[in-house]
Amino acid sequence: MNLPEALARRTVVLDGGLSTALELAGHDLSDALWSARLLLTDQAAIRSAHLAYYRAGADVVITSSYQATFEGFADRGLTRAETAVLLRDSVTVARQAASEVDGSRWVAASVGPYGAMLADGSEYRGRYGLTRQALESFHRPRIEVLAEAGADVLAVETIPDVAEAEAVLGVVAGSGVPVWLSYSARGTRTCAGQPLTEAFEAARGVDEVVAVGVNCCDPADVDEAVAIARRVTGKPVVVYPNSGERWDAVTRSWTGVPAFDPVRVAGWVDGGARLVGGCCQVGPELIGELAAALSR
């Protein structure tokens, strides 16, 4: 059964934040490449993190390619051919983890925003000042490699700006490769300030898009986002918010009280969410609770 077929039958559980699982295992990710650095130094650690989520109950894990780009690895002295190998490796190690558990499991290849490569927080602002052609040129090579690597779906995620979403959709439209499109959002607007109605409209007529939604947002923002995504597109909805804590860029730490409550997910599912998981600060334990809540 492929992932779109599964979405037609049931709610599918996503993993939590890959970086969260890696940090819980003791890995230092204070690097411009973030978790993608371990593609260079410790792929076994990435496989173990994926496996922890699968064992907790996740049906889908998202690869370590969010911040893995040709430009970012070029800054470390890698050739384009060497970077392509690492991008394919990100899918391979997730597949290896899936082979260690029973039942249907899927791999989503992460396609992070342009701002993730900059490593300056601009994936939560958008408005890079780039043309659509420039954004397409940035995204196309990585998308082509990840699609050829055999991922079940491309997770185009944490997109802050409709302009960037349209550029990515221009790359994937007509390719036949399944994609989900997930925005970073605040309230009922993208992080760049556009209404989510406009943002989701960009994906409505693209056949390759199998789900739309939001991620890396506050859990409190999910309810309305689900309703808007479903109303505008009629497609299955994907949601994976943060824990509810806030990142303090000065102290480089998370602050506040977690608000990710697996029990409230029932409301998201009732509204049309079919891919449900967590993002930053949501580790395997919370995904286990989420999977248990959805199985009731």
Side-chain angles (χ1 to χ4, degrees), residues 27 35-44 86:
H27 297 280
S35 54
R37 178 179 61 82
L38 296 183
L39 285 169
L40 275 170
T41 62
D42 195 347
Q43 293 189 6
L86 293 179

Side-chain angles (χ1 to χ4, degrees), residues 267-290:
W268 304 343
V269 172
D270 289 343
R274 289 296 176 266
L275 284 152
V276 181
C279 201
C280 298
Q281 294 301 99
V282 178
E285 183 177 353
L286 276 176
I287 292 302
E289 293 177 17
L290 170 62

Side-chain angles (χ1 to χ4, degrees), residues 10 28 36 38 54 70 86 92 97 109 116 128 193 234 252 280 287 296:
R10 64 181 177 89
D28 180 5
L38 296 183
Y54 278 135
F70 286 95
L86 293 179
T92 298
Y128 310 121
R252 296 190 63 80
C280 298
I287 292 302
R296 296 187 187 118

Side-chain angles (χ1 to χ4, degrees), residues 6-106:
L7 294 178
R9 298 185 182 191
R10 64 181 177 89
T11 303
V12 174
V13 178
L14 301 179
D15 60 3
L18 176 61
S19 62
T20 298
L22 290 169
E23 287 171 340
L24 288 171
H27 297 280
D28 180 5
L29 303 182
S30 56
D31 184 283
L33 290 174
W34 203 28
S35 54
R37 178 179 61 82
L38 296 183
L39 285 169
L40 275 170
T41 62
D42 195 347
Q43 293 189 6
I46 298 173
R47 185 170 62 252
S48 294
H50 288 322
L51 183 57
Y53 281 117
Y54 278 135
R55 286 177 170 164
D59 300 303
V60 182
V61 300
I62 302 172
T63 66
S64 53
S65 52
Y66 176 83
Q67 215 145 331
T69 64
F70 286 95
E71 292 81 358
F73 281 125
D75 288 342
R76 302 298 170 92
L78 274 70
T79 66
R80 292 185 72 82
E82 290 168 334
T83 297
V85 169
L86 293 179
L87 287 168
R88 288 191 288 269
D89 285 350
S90 72
V91 175
T92 298
V93 296
R95 286 274 184 233
Q96 290 170 343
S99 71
E100 297 187 43
V101 292
D102 296 328
S104 297
R105 297 292 190 275
W106 295 280

Side-chain angles (χ1 to χ4, degrees), residues 59 93 105 145 158-159 242:
D59 300 303
V93 296
R105 297 292 190 275
V145 172
T158 328
I159 303 298
N242 295 334

